[in-house]
Amino acid sequence: MSGKKSIERYDEPAGGWGALRALGEHLIEQDVAIKGATTLLRMNQPLGFDCPGCAWPDPKHTSSFEFCENGGKAVAWEATAKRCTPEFFAAHTVTELGTWSDYQLEMTGRLTHPMAYDQATDRYLPVTWDEAFATIGRHLSALPDPNMAEFYTSGRTSNEAAFLYQLFVREYGTNNFPDCSNMCHEATSVGLPLSLGVGKGTVLLEDFDRTDCIFIFGQNPGTNSPRMMTSLRDASRRGAAIISFNPFRERSLERFQAPRNPIEMATLTSTPISSRLHQVKVGGDLAVLKGLMKVLVEEDERLRSERQIEALDWDFIHGHTDGVEALVADLKATRWEDIERRSGLSRAAIEEAAYVYMKAEKAIVVYGMGITQHRHGAKSVQQLANLCLLKGNIGKDGAGLCPVRGHSNVQGDRTVGVTEIPAAEFLSRLEKRFGFKPPTAHGHNVVTALEAMIEGRARVFISMGGNIVAAIPDWQVTHDAFRRLALSVHVSTKLNRSHIVHGSEALILPCLGRTEIDLQAAGPQCITVEDSMSMVHASTGMNKPASEHLKSEPAIVAGMAHATLGIRSVVDWEIFVADYNLIRDAIEDVFPIFDSYNTRIRLAGGFHLTSTARERNWMTASGKASFLPFEGFGDDSDLDDDVLWLTSVRSHDQYNTTLYSLSDRYRGVFGQRDVLFISAEEIEKRGFKPDERVDLVTVSDDGIERVVRNFKLVAHGFPAGCCAAYYPETNPLVPLQAHDPMSFTPSYKGIPIRIMRAFVQVEAV
């Protein structure tokens, strides 16, 4: 489905007939038109499997169709009839595969056999599982220090597999857990505990049915979490105000046609979503937030001086928070001309939005990676918390802070112990339950793991899912580091770039997918996941496995552990693999919040892991929620006029690094991804013309040239001084050191660049 290349105007709403057509095309392309449609009816159902895509929660009372366009594409991608077999690898060298696009690699189909790289032939050759595990055990046992190995986790990994993974790695002797969270919502995990005492959101799905207004920052729900559109549509139709801030006028933030609504589908009508959609400059959200809070504080002073109702919730502020004085002082000192210049919005527009928020009794503040993937991501998250605290919108029905996580269990992996900075209480419980002393020193996150690999301090890399080689920044440096590893191991369902950029020895270990039956000694097994609102529920596959040679993720972890630790392990790995109920019992022993785990996952809809902040129980040093001011706007605002701020975005036919096609329907881009979105005014100002080819060059002072070449200029309504291009193609432009100092999240959403006319003006193949 690469399609013919074109740039077209797309006028249809988000969702609707366009979504149904696209989903049908994907099911056909993967040769699963009937099987895929049947499988979709079990997705996000109480006795079915959890969507392998986004982490948006399921409603308590599900309908027959609890899936969206992109969730359907994820199922088609996994349940495909296509197979990537040993015969495929025999026909292609790794060098040749390195010339293939990411889309071509993943469209080869499901991996069927464990494979090992052979240097002599430059090919992957089939191996037995015992041989693969022995290779891992040999390399890990030979390392003089366990900290020379890195253990990566993707958000696809279940609670059960993630718990066993961290158990194996800690018994091995390290806390090196670079995780996909490090590249997306780590700013939430690090920033919010200082503000609210917990690194998670505070809302439930039903809060969207009760709220008066919803503020959305840096989130494109129609592409990244399409099932969220049902909640936004319902809120809009009952009169709740929705105020959105985004550099793009994303189609889903404008209007939505509900595929499950027969009236909208039959009449070709749609529901307006945003009451106002403000195109903020790239990286300008901090300025917007300071402007909103400045209006609230100044209006509150005016109203109180006139003995009128207060604009702020002072009962909540005095009873539940500290530090408001410092925040107020910073806001008063912030000049409106600076707010307008950095945000790209007028004072009048910000004031209008602030009055909507001020008058709402209950407000939800939603945000995505447009907030977190900046050099000031954690500080921005804290300013969102400040905005909520000023009006008491934490711990109140119909209100709260709502970070929209990406992958389906990225939050759950963290909850069950996949973290490089483990708490002492957790380690103590782990020791008590299993009888070994886990390491206490902080381990590596993604950035520090890459630094260790670059410096030669890390020699083995093992990945539970994902496509880290494509997802990481600074490819010129980081890809070379992967090639210098002694061993790289990837537990995967599909071929991807991480298998092509590999260590001296390399293994591909094929695993069961979310849609497939997991049969172990005790019978068919279910796994569990935690969604972005802390609901935990069971997931049970229904399809026959793509190959008889596949293993489940828990079985693969146990195989690695047995081969590495042998008889010195204090863990009975075989019983855990035989019956996942026993893994959940162990999780409950280590994490009391999972009380009655096996009982509660069998309830329809699962159960909620209580957010302490939602209960207004502040687990901070002071015992109160904290206002945390931030001086300035967190960027290099004095850069030259010829510098543009680039933000990376996903296409509508994409999930993380997975490409379902080379098109982006909502933005009118078809059959191509090598494009740069930029306003017509900026194109003319810089002496270019639409459709010209340009090179994108990072502005940095470290002496390394970072460039991606031959991108087509596409005129698109976008803020002045800003532009956008697709992820991960622009990841090479992000310096490894360009990350948030608190969370280490790379600055994928704010890259200073210059554009230069490409040497050769040709269409990319």
Side-chain angles (χ1 to χ4, degrees):
M1 287 184 65
S2 58
K4 182 180 179 181
K5 292 183 179 182
S6 64
I7 305 293
E8 304 173 13
R9 183 179 177 86
Y10 188 82
D11 291 321
E12 295 183 38
W17 291 107
L20 294 181
R21 285 193 300 270
L23 178 53
E25 290 170 359
H26 279 273
L27 292 172
I28 292 171
E29 184 193 24
Q30 299 301 330
D31 297 329
V32 289
I34 296 176
K35 174 187 174 183
T38 303
T39 303
L40 288 172
L41 295 178
R42 287 281 300 277
M43 186 160 70
N44 300 320
Q45 300 296 324
L47 298 178
F49 64 93
D50 192 71
C51 177
C54 83
W56 191 253
D58 304 331
K60 287 186 176 180
H61 304 288
T62 59
S63 70
S64 299
F65 301 96
E66 284 301 332
F67 58 86
C68 64
E69 175 188 348
N70 280 8
K73 291 173 184 174
V75 167
W77 180 87
E78 179 180 297
T80 178
K82 299 177 182 180
R83 299 290 181 263
C84 186
T85 64
E87 289 73 23
F88 169 84
F89 287 105
H92 304 282
T93 66
V94 173
T95 300
E96 178 195 345
L97 292 175
T99 67
W100 289 27
S101 71
D102 291 343
Y103 174 73
Q104 289 173 310
L105 291 174
E106 297 201 1
M107 287 302 111
T108 56
R110 286 290 300 277
L111 295 161
T112 60
H113 292 67
M115 308 294 294
Y117 179 67
D118 177 62
Q119 287 189 353
T121 61
D122 188 31
R123 284 175 168 82
Y124 276 101
L125 305 178
V127 292
T128 67
W129 279 103
D130 286 345
E131 289 169 338
F133 290 143
T135 297
I136 295 169
R138 171 169 52 85
H139 276 272
L140 291 179
S141 298
L143 293 178
D145 182 352
N147 293 307
M148 296 178 70
E150 307 290 350
F151 298 87
Y152 179 78
T153 318
S154 128
R156 186 199 65 202
T157 310
S158 67
N159 284 350
E160 291 75 15
F163 182 78
L164 289 190
Y165 195 49
Q166 66 81 32
L167 183 63
F168 156 49
V169 172
R170 289 195 164 97
E171 191 179 15
Y172 173 65
T174 183
N175 285 315
N176 284 352
F177 285 108
D179 181 78
C180 62
S181 293
N182 299 144
M183 294 184 284
C184 57
H185 264 282
E186 193 69 16
T188 295
S189 301
V190 170
L192 280 189
L194 299 175
S195 296
L196 306 179
V198 64
K200 300 181 180 182
T202 68
V203 302
L204 294 175
L205 190 59
E206 48 264 37
D207 286 318
F208 281 81
D209 299 328
R210 304 165 184 161
T211 192
D212 301 317
C213 77
I214 302 168
F215 273 55
I216 303 175
F217 292 88
Q219 163 67 358
N220 178 13
T223 291
N224 300 331
S225 47
R227 286 198 299 142
M228 181 182 176
M229 295 308 304
T230 298
S231 296
L232 295 178
R233 174 186 179 274
D234 292 347
S236 174
R237 292 183 73 86
R238 65 177 176 77
I242 300 177
I243 311 298
S244 301
F245 299 90
N246 200 296
F248 274 107
R249 291 192 62 86
E250 301 289 9
R251 183 54 48 84
S252 64
L253 295 175
E254 295 178 315
R255 60 190 189 277
F256 176 65
Q257 185 179 82
R260 288 186 295 173
N261 185 277
I263 295 177
E264 286 190 351
M265 295 295 282
T267 61
L268 302 182
T269 56
S270 59
T271 298
I273 298 300
S274 296
S275 312
R276 291 285 188 275
L277 205 172
H278 300 288
Q279 287 187 265
V280 64
K281 281 186 175 180
V282 171
D285 301 276
L286 257 175
V288 172
L289 288 166
K290 296 188 86 166
L292 292 171
M293 291 188 289
K294 184 177 178 70
V295 174
L296 293 176
V297 166
E298 293 178 350
E299 185 66 7
D300 181 77
E301 285 192 350
R302 184 188 70 79
L303 291 173
R304 284 198 292 162
S305 69
E306 297 175 0
R307 300 181 182 275
Q308 297 186 42
I309 188 171
E310 298 169 341
L312 307 182
D313 188 341
W314 285 104
D315 288 341
F316 174 85
I317 292 170
H318 291 315
H320 291 277
T321 74
D322 59 17
V324 71
E325 298 83 4
L327 176 66
V328 169
D330 176 65
L331 294 173
K332 287 183 175 180
T334 304
R335 304 184 309 166
W336 271 110
E337 50 264 43
D338 293 330
I339 292 173
E340 290 180 309
R341 174 183 53 81
R342 188 61 196 96
S343 70
L345 304 182
S346 68
R347 176 175 178 175
I350 294 174
E351 287 178 336
E352 179 188 42
Y355 287 130
V356 172
Y357 182 77
M358 183 177 66
K359 293 175 181 177
E361 180 182 345
K362 297 169 289 186
I364 293 175
V365 175
V366 175
Y367 67 95
M369 288 182 287
I371 289 289
T372 61
Q373 289 183 327
H374 283 280
R375 301 187 198 209
H376 46 266
K379 292 294 186 182
S380 295
V381 168
Q382 290 172 345
Q383 303 319 298
L384 290 165
N386 287 344
L387 180 65
C388 290
L389 293 173
L390 285 175
K391 286 283 292 177
N393 279 317
I394 300 290
K396 180 165 62 176
D397 284 348
L401 195 57
C402 181
V404 182
R405 303 272 183 171
H407 221 152
S408 63
N409 199 42
V410 63
Q411 186 161 296
D413 291 352
R414 283 290 200 227
T415 303
V416 300
V418 174
T419 175
E420 74 278 10
I421 46 175
E425 181 183 1
F426 156 57
L427 294 180
S428 176
R429 288 183 174 275
L430 198 67
E431 180 179 0
K432 180 180 179 181
R433 172 61 177 80
F434 290 101
F436 71 90
K437 193 168 187 63
T440 58
H442 288 182
H444 294 157
N445 55 42
V446 166
V447 168
T448 54
L450 291 172
E451 290 173 343
M453 291 163 58
I454 291 167
E455 296 166 9
R457 293 183 286 111
R459 303 295 298 141
V460 173
F461 189 93
I462 299 176
S463 176
M464 290 293 292
N467 183 8
I468 188 171
V469 162
I472 53 179
D474 221 345
W475 287 358
Q476 179 177 332
V477 176
T478 56
H479 284 195
D480 284 345
F482 268 91
R483 293 186 178 99
R484 292 196 299 271
L485 290 170
L487 174 69
S488 57
V489 180
H490 294 276
V491 179
S492 306
T493 57
K494 288 282 198 76
L495 186 65
N496 64 43
R497 186 66 53 189
S498 294
H499 308 131
I500 308 305
V501 181
H502 57 76
S504 296
E505 290 192 68
L507 293 168
I508 302 173
L509 305 183
C511 67
L512 293 172
R514 190 73 61 83
T515 62
E516 293 171 321
I517 298 169
D518 184 351
L519 184 62
Q520 302 297 339
Q525 302 295 309
C526 72
I527 53 92
T528 57
V529 297
E530 178 186 350
D531 64 35
S532 64
M533 294 183 186
S534 301
M535 293 295 298
V536 178
H537 49 273
S539 175
T540 306
M542 59 173 286
N543 291 337
K544 180 182 177 181
S547 165
E548 63 181 2
H549 301 287
L550 304 185
K551 285 185 178 290
S552 71
E553 288 182 319
I556 293 173
V557 172
M560 291 191 293
H562 182 73
T564 304
L565 304 174
I567 60 173
R568 71 182 175 92
S569 177
V570 300
V571 179
D572 189 339
W573 298 99
E574 289 186 4
I575 66 166
F576 281 140
V577 175
D579 187 353
Y580 297 176
N581 286 313
L582 300 180
I583 305 176
R584 289 185 284 271
D585 286 341
I587 293 174
E588 182 180 336
D589 290 340
V590 176
F591 299 97
I593 56 173
F594 285 94
D595 178 55
S596 302
Y597 197 172
N598 277 307
T599 299
R600 290 195 288 169
I601 63 165
R602 286 163 172 82
L603 301 174
F607 63 95
H608 184 242
L609 295 176
T610 302
S611 168
T612 52
R614 182 177 175 83
E615 304 298 323
R616 293 188 171 178
N617 179 16
W618 315 107
M619 306 299 290
T620 61
S622 67
K624 291 187 174 184
S626 296
F627 285 100
L628 299 172
F630 180 56
E631 295 182 2
F633 303 111
D635 66 1
D636 303 316
S637 55
D638 58 348
L639 293 171
D640 295 340
D641 289 342
D642 66 336
V643 174
L644 289 162
W645 281 101
L646 170 72
T647 186
S648 65
V649 295
R650 292 191 222 167
S651 74
H652 187 59
D653 253 4
Q654 175 180 359
Y655 191 76
N656 293 340
T657 58
T658 298
L659 305 181
Y660 302 128
S661 82
L662 301 181
S663 297
D664 188 0
R665 187 171 79 249
Y666 290 165
R667 298 190 184 107
V669 177
F670 298 93
Q672 57 198 306
R673 290 177 59 83
D674 52 338
V675 301
L676 182 71
F677 298 103
I678 185 171
S679 72
E681 293 78 12
E682 286 289 347
I683 293 175
E684 182 179 3
K685 171 185 173 182
R686 294 164 192 277
F688 296 104
K689 296 179 180 179
D691 295 337
E692 268 198 88
R693 293 277 168 174
V694 297
D695 296 339
L696 284 53
V697 183
T698 302
V699 177
S700 63
D701 57 6
D702 61 1
I704 298 176
E705 182 186 48
R706 298 176 178 88
V707 58
V708 294
R709 301 191 184 280
N710 208 33
F711 275 52
K712 180 192 291 186
L713 293 174
V714 173
H716 201 95
F718 216 66
C722 304
C723 57
Y726 292 123
Y727 162 103
E729 286 85 349
T730 50
N731 286 7
L733 298 175
V734 184
L736 186 60
Q737 69 270 21
H739 57 74
D740 177 12
M742 290 180 65
S743 68
F744 286 81
T745 303
S747 183
Y748 297 113
K749 302 296 187 192
I751 313 162
I753 67 164
R754 290 186 174 92
I755 58 174
M756 304 172 62
R757 185 167 280 104
F759 183 71
V760 180
Q761 296 287 317
V762 295
E763 289 279 335
V765 177

